[in-house]
Amino acid sequence: MAILVVGSVAFDSIETPSGKVEKILGGAATHFALAASYFTDVRVIGVVGEDFAAEHEAVFERRGIDTDGIERAPGLSFHWTGEYSGSLNEAKTLGTDLNVFATFAPKIPEQYKDSEYLFLANIDPVLQSRVRAQMPNVKLVCGDTMNYWIADHRESLLKVLRELDVLLVNDGETRMLSGETNMVKAAAGVMSLGPKALVVKHGEYGATGFFSERAFAGKPSRPFRAPALPLAEVVDPTGAGDSFAGGFYGYIASQPELTPAVFRTAMFYGGVMGSFAVERFGTERLQAVTSEEINDRFNLFREISHLEGLSE
Amino acid sequence: MAILVVGSVAFDSIETPSGKVEKILGGAATHFALAASYFTDVRVIGVVGEDFAAEHEAVFERRGIDTDGIERAPGLSFHWTGEYSGSLNEAKTLGTDLNVFATFAPKIPEQYKDSEYLFLANIDPVLQSRVRAQMPNVKLVCGDTMNYWIADHRESLLKVLRELDVLLVNDGETRMLSGETNMVKAAAGVMSLGPKALVVKHGEYGATGFFSERAFAGKPSRPFRAPALPLAEVVDPTGAGDSFAGGFYGYIASQPELTPAVFRTAMFYGGVMGSFAVERFGTERLQAVTSEEINDRFNLFREISHLEGLSE
């Protein structure tokens, strides 16, 4: 089933201990769409400027991603500049040039309106709400946000949360949204704001899924822990969370029904796609990964976390 | 098979958001021994003062723990005072009164010398080495340490590490020991100092086992990730790491051979015993947990981390 994603299609200039790149293709919607494209059809809503060239368009085309919803506007594309150091867990933002994104008003092409799965990538919650409102019959809505919107745009964000089925955030964002330090209480607090389920991403420690009693009627609602792959080298963490979301949601959209087992498996695929993303700068690895590599790595994720996974 | 543990038997005064306790039974060897006693025979080497009364002795006796190796010395027992706040991830030490521990010279009773498993709890590495030297024929040696010894007693610690099979430490200690920020490289660095395998404890995120090529000859040496249980309330984190070690090593000692599968299962039991420990102050919960509760929680750990764990 098709996923509709709204979010940034952008250029990133990034410096990490592994090197430095200038204005490479990036953005939350880009990473998400590439990761999800290995599982299902993906349609993108976004805006780019005149610097978005045929070579960038081709990255989407080669993965069969529908870009009819990417609006071309006069000016430059959204451009993020950041650097990572030390344990690479946190980016230091050096510049955020919104450019054409500053006046972005998402419009959904008619042929996208039958999309059953909606992903609201990390953008202004006002825009997330506008997209949500144009997709009243969608089957499942999943979204992301960040500390900036939690701190300074709380009211608009709360409106989005009320209309979300699944929220994906990190530990700090979960605590910030709920005001609770204990993660179980924080997760319950966030879910009381709307989402039926919550995926908390712990970076190198994997992710935990939390489920409200509304998530799976009559099913057990225990949390679930999915691992991350211990990696000897992280070249560039940019887009890891969006790639996680793409693998997670892409797998869900590829299945006939969202069961607890599908949700858990989706969390593993999220980790798998996140682990590929960080192996190269930008979207390089996600452009060229193979289905066989995805299957192998999924099996590796099982092996490193399951008591029976080891072939002896 | 019997485990011999050397470490502190002490009193703790602790304040957490859940309350405050004064001079309750604690110490690394105490938490370790109680946790391990559910799996195998345990013998303790330590020293206590005149404040160690019959009621404290009875805590060990009720769990069938051999205390003949606990020396009684004039004066007071080791007394630690600390507090936790916020996310309870780190203790703030308010006082460390070594008392009788200051002049502790571990002596191993003759009848302990056939112990096949040795655990060197977190004490001065000079003492760890002395105990190790008195147990030349032991089958497996596992140990713990902390930032204080890593920073200020590195030479003595390096001597201990060369004689260890398995080291249990946390993320910060692993990075500090190796000088590497990347966890895979840090683990490899620590294992190059001696231990064949390393268990890195991540607190609420579980633990990762790393294996050198010397750990299991001819077997795969992939890392392994064991979960921690998301808990809505942590009453007192004191001794969680030692309880993890007790469950981990107790399970290993209960098995005929240390295979990769046994190591992995042991990491789950470590998490299980750690999760019980923090439910009450001090050793209260570890004194009274039942085998059925341990089995149930082990199954819960599988359920929250295994894709097939869910009964639907």
Side-chain angles (χ1 to χ4, degrees):
Chain A
M1 297 298 173
I3 295 178
L4 176 63
V5 52
V6 57
S8 56
V9 177
F11 291 105
D12 291 336
S13 296
I14 304 161
E15 184 165 4
T16 80
S18 301
K20 193 172 174 174
V21 291
E22 292 285 340
K23 283 201 83 174
I24 59 168
L25 181 63
T30 307
H31 284 99
F32 176 92
L34 286 168
S37 73
Y38 291 90
F39 300 90
T40 196
D41 293 337
V42 186
R43 300 154 170 182
V44 184
I45 302 280
V47 60
V48 293
E50 291 152 307
D51 48 356
F52 187 84
E55 56 179 301
H56 307 116
E57 176 81 37
V59 170
F60 292 86
E61 275 171 9
R62 281 196 297 269
R63 291 294 319 143
I65 298 163
D66 188 331
T67 57
D68 284 354
I70 302 183
E71 184 188 329
R72 270 73 175 167
L76 294 174
S77 302
F78 180 26
H79 178 210
W80 179 79
T81 306
E83 66 178 18
Y84 301 82
S85 55
S87 63
L88 293 98
N89 280 332
E90 208 157 354
K92 185 177 167 193
T93 292
L94 302 175
T96 305
D97 305 311
L98 286 177
N99 300 327
V100 296
F101 217 79
T103 53
F104 179 40
K107 284 175 286 292
I108 299 177
E110 206 50 46
Q111 76 272 23
Y112 278 13
K113 296 212 170 159
D114 64 352
S115 309
E116 293 196 275
Y117 293 85
L118 175 62
F119 187 77
L120 307 170
N122 170 33
I123 50 171
D124 186 335
V126 170
L127 299 183
Q128 290 180 317
S129 279
R130 267 188 221 157
V131 171
R132 177 70 185 91
Q134 292 175 67
M135 298 291 291
N137 301 318
V138 77
K139 191 169 159 184
L140 199 74
V141 188
C142 182
D144 187 9
T145 190
M146 70 183 291
N147 48 9
Y148 173 72
W149 309 116
I150 299 171
D152 296 339
H153 295 73
R154 196 171 175 91
E155 279 315 307
S156 341
L157 181 60
L158 289 177
K159 183 169 182 300
V160 176
L161 292 181
R162 284 194 290 273
E163 299 175 331
L164 273 192
D165 295 302
V166 183
L167 178 68
L168 282 92
V169 276
N170 67 25
D171 291 74
E173 290 154 2
T174 307
R175 294 196 165 103
M176 201 173 168
L177 251 172
S178 63
E180 290 276 358
T181 49
N182 176 281
M183 192 46 67
V184 175
K185 288 180 185 161
V190 170
M191 291 188 290
S192 76
L193 300 174
K196 300 185 182 77
L198 175 70
V199 177
V200 183
K201 296 169 288 176
H202 311 307
E204 62 174 313
Y205 302 120
T208 306
F210 292 95
F211 309 97
S212 78
E213 68 291 346
R214 295 167 290 125
F216 303 107
K219 304 263 182 170
S221 58
R222 300 219 185 277
F224 184 68
R225 298 218 135 166
L229 188 66
L231 292 166
E233 194 184 20
V234 172
V235 169
D236 174 16
T238 312
D242 303 309
S243 305
F244 180 102
F248 168 78
Y249 210 46
Y251 178 76
I252 286 177
S254 77
Q255 299 298 305
E257 197 194 347
L258 180 52
T259 64
V262 165
F263 199 106
R264 291 161 168 235
T265 306
M267 286 178 64
F268 269 62
Y269 278 113
V272 163
M273 300 314 285
S275 75
F276 282 123
V278 303
E279 290 182 349
R280 300 278 185 285
F281 273 102
T283 60
E284 190 185 330
R285 192 70 179 93
L286 284 187
Q287 289 182 36
V289 67
T290 67
S291 297
E292 195 184 347
E293 287 174 316
I294 293 171
N295 286 341
D296 286 351
R297 189 154 296 183
F298 179 81
N299 290 333
L300 180 54
F301 268 68
R302 287 175 62 110
E303 187 181 318
I304 65 163
S305 62
H306 281 47
L307 292 175
E308 300 75 20
L310 193 66
S311 46
E312 290 187 72
Chain B
M1 296 299 175
I3 295 178
L4 176 63
V5 51
V6 57
S8 57
V9 176
F11 291 105
D12 291 337
S13 296
I14 305 160
E15 185 163 5
T16 81
S18 300
K20 193 173 175 174
V21 291
E22 292 284 340
K23 283 202 80 173
I24 59 167
L25 182 62
T30 307
H31 284 99
F32 176 92
L34 285 168
S37 72
Y38 291 90
F39 300 89
T40 195
D41 293 336
V42 186
R43 299 153 171 181
V44 184
I45 301 281
V47 61
V48 292
E50 291 152 309
D51 49 356
F52 188 83
E55 59 179 298
H56 307 117
E57 176 80 37
V59 170
F60 292 85
E61 275 170 10
R62 281 196 297 270
R63 290 295 320 145
I65 298 164
D66 188 331
T67 58
D68 285 353
I70 302 183
E71 185 189 327
R72 270 71 175 169
L76 294 174
S77 301
F78 179 27
H79 179 209
W80 178 78
T81 306
E83 67 178 18
Y84 300 83
S85 56
S87 62
L88 294 97
N89 279 332
E90 207 158 353
K92 184 177 168 195
T93 292
L94 301 176
T96 306
D97 305 312
L98 286 177
N99 299 326
V100 296
F101 217 79
T103 54
F104 178 40
K107 284 176 287 290
I108 300 176
E110 205 51 44
Q111 75 272 22
Y112 278 15
K113 296 209 169 162
D114 64 350
S115 309
E116 293 197 275
Y117 294 84
L118 175 62
F119 187 77
L120 306 170
N122 169 33
I123 51 170
D124 186 334
V126 170
L127 300 185
Q128 291 179 317
S129 279
R130 269 188 219 157
V131 170
R132 177 69 184 91
Q134 292 175 66
M135 299 291 291
N137 300 318
V138 78
K139 191 169 159 184
L140 199 75
V141 188
C142 182
D144 187 9
T145 191
M146 70 183 289
N147 50 7
Y148 174 72
W149 309 117
I150 299 171
D152 297 339
H153 294 73
R154 197 171 175 91
E155 280 314 307
S156 341
L157 181 60
L158 289 177
K159 184 170 183 301
V160 175
L161 291 181
R162 285 194 289 273
E163 300 175 331
L164 272 192
D165 295 300
V166 183
L167 177 70
L168 283 92
V169 278
N170 67 25
D171 291 74
E173 291 154 1
T174 306
R175 294 196 164 104
M176 200 174 169
L177 251 172
S178 65
E180 290 276 358
T181 49
N182 175 280
M183 193 47 66
V184 175
K185 288 179 183 160
V190 170
M191 290 188 291
S192 76
L193 301 173
K196 300 186 181 77
L198 176 70
V199 176
V200 183
K201 295 169 289 177
H202 312 306
E204 64 174 311
Y205 302 121
T208 306
F210 292 96
F211 308 96
S212 77
E213 68 290 345
R214 295 168 289 125
F216 302 107
K219 304 262 183 171
S221 57
R222 300 219 186 277
F224 183 69
R225 299 220 135 166
L229 188 67
L231 292 166
E233 192 184 22
V234 172
V235 170
D236 173 18
T238 312
D242 302 310
S243 305
F244 180 101
F248 169 77
Y249 210 45
Y251 178 76
I252 287 177
S254 78
Q255 299 297 306
E257 199 194 346
L258 180 52
T259 64
V262 165
F263 199 107
R264 291 161 169 238
T265 306
M267 286 178 62
F268 270 60
Y269 278 113
V272 164
M273 299 313 286
S275 75
F276 282 122
V278 304
E279 289 182 350
R280 300 277 186 284
F281 274 103
T283 60
E284 189 184 332
R285 191 71 179 93
L286 285 188
Q287 290 181 36
V289 66
T290 67
S291 297
E292 195 186 346
E293 286 174 318
I294 292 172
N295 287 341
D296 286 352
R297 190 154 296 183
F298 178 81
N299 290 333
L300 180 55
F301 268 67
R302 286 175 63 110
E303 187 181 319
I304 66 164
S305 62
H306 281 47
L307 292 174
E308 301 73 21
L310 194 65
S311 46
E312 287 187 75

